[in-house]
Amino acid sequence: MVEITRLDSAGLRQYIASEEFENAPVIAISKHRALSQLHNPRANPKDTLLLLARIDNRLVGYLGVLPDLMFTDHGREIRCGWMSCLWVDPAQRGKKIAQKLISDCFAAWDSKILLTEFTAAAGSLYHKTGLFAGLRALEGRRWYIRADLNRILSPKKEVFRRLSPLLKTLDASINLVLDTLRPLKPVRTSLTFRYVTHVPEEAADMIRRTSAGELFGRQPDDINWILAHPWILTRQWLDNTVERYHFSSFEKSFECRAILTTAYESPTVFMVYTFRNGHLRIPYIYGSNDDDALHTVKYLVSQLKVRTLTLYNQNIIHLLMENGWNLAHSRIVERHYLISRTLHQEAGDISRFGIQDGDGDCAFT
């Protein structure tokens, strides 16, 4: 018989300090993800953060929940949770463990649930439950900015490993041509760029103003939490968490930081970005000057030597395409969001409220 256990903040602390967590072949969360959950400024102590499915005291499935707030008309707040990291032991499939985890999650959260970044197979499961409605889809674009044949091909076959010096030379030649055709560096000398690890005081009001019309309206405290507690850590050597936890926990190269852009000493743009193995994403963009935001993106791409860039901000995408980036290979990408029917009914018409790329758990990875 499948038994479902709900963990609130106290239960989660006990779980990551338990003998089961230290010795089990499968764990339901990494320690740093758990600590991130425990520092969430939008979480209440009794919120269910993690659900464990066990058979005969053995972990056979789990489901995480990220507490959040939704802001609708007249500043009304609705407490809700993002389903995240659903896993079921492949040997136990057919026992409806996933459905039981989802059902118990809905019971714990009064059916006020959202989710995004799910696979096609998971999406099929969620639709079959009849519990969800489509919220919306964000359309973005992914650019393949720099040639990276050596990194891609060398691990695949011995012949490519032997050709590694040639591939590196070819990458450098291609990138030289691309950099010439596609201007990356910002051209406005009046702008200054400063990397930061938290929200500076001078950017706080800009974040509050920009987020006023957004569905999840991130505040400076939320941004500081995201910057301080990513779900992926940089580590050149990997411990057994990688084998025991079935979602991303460590990378050889990962950073979650922010950049503040100023013009004549006045802040104009604040961005949160993640840079993972050469792939740049910008989960949050604050400020009303799209031209300065364009130059900030170009600055990041140039400084970080970005290989791929994914953006969902349509204004900046349009400006990049007008500034020579149509010459780079790119493709349209989409991110779909689901909302529980109960939450959708309570929230009413929320189509006019904005959603940023980082909303949900997307900013953490």
Side-chain angles (χ1 to χ4, degrees), residues 247-259:
F247 295 90
S248 299
S249 54
F250 296 101
E251 285 287 1
K252 291 185 176 179
S253 175
F254 179 85
E255 62 181 64
C256 179
R257 296 177 67 187
I259 186 168

Side-chain angles (χ1 to χ4, degrees), residues 58-76:
R58 185 169 64 86
L59 187 68
V60 295
Y62 53 80
L63 173 61
V65 188
L66 184 69
D68 205 348
L69 294 173
M70 179 184 287
F71 300 93
T72 60
D73 285 322
H74 309 296
R76 185 164 62 103

Side-chain angles (χ1 to χ4, degrees), residues 2-5 51-55 58-62 97 101:
V2 179
E3 296 183 355
I4 307 294
T5 303
L51 298 101
L52 308 179
R54 295 187 178 95
I55 296 178
R58 185 169 64 86
L59 187 68
V60 295
Y62 53 80
I97 294 172
L101 284 164

Side-chain angles (χ1 to χ4, degrees), residues 120-131:
S124 177
L125 168 65
Y126 299 140
H127 285 295
K128 285 179 181 178
T129 66
L131 297 170

Side-chain angles (χ1 to χ4, degrees), residues 29-40 66 197 222-234 245 248-251 253-257 272-276 281 283 361-365:
I29 196 169
S30 67
K31 281 192 175 181
H32 52 276
R33 281 200 190 200
L35 292 173
S36 180
Q37 284 274 44
L38 294 171
H39 283 86
N40 182 352
L66 184 69
T197 56
D222 303 314
I223 300 300
N224 286 333
W225 161 58
I226 291 168
L227 291 170
H229 297 283
W231 289 2
I232 296 177
L233 299 181
T234 299
Y245 183 52
S248 299
S249 54
F250 296 101
E251 285 287 1
S253 175
F254 179 85
E255 62 181 64
C256 179
R257 296 177 67 187
V272 176
Y273 72 87
T274 61
F275 189 47
R276 181 175 178 177
R281 287 181 48 237
D361 61 2
C362 301
F364 292 90
T365 58

Side-chain angles (χ1 to χ4, degrees), residues 329-346:
H329 175 60
S330 66
R331 65 181 178 88
I332 292 174
V333 292
E334 287 188 333
R335 174 174 294 144
H336 295 270
Y337 295 80
L338 296 179
I339 184 172
S340 66
R341 296 186 183 278
T342 299
L343 180 56
H344 195 273
Q345 183 176 6
E346 180 173 343

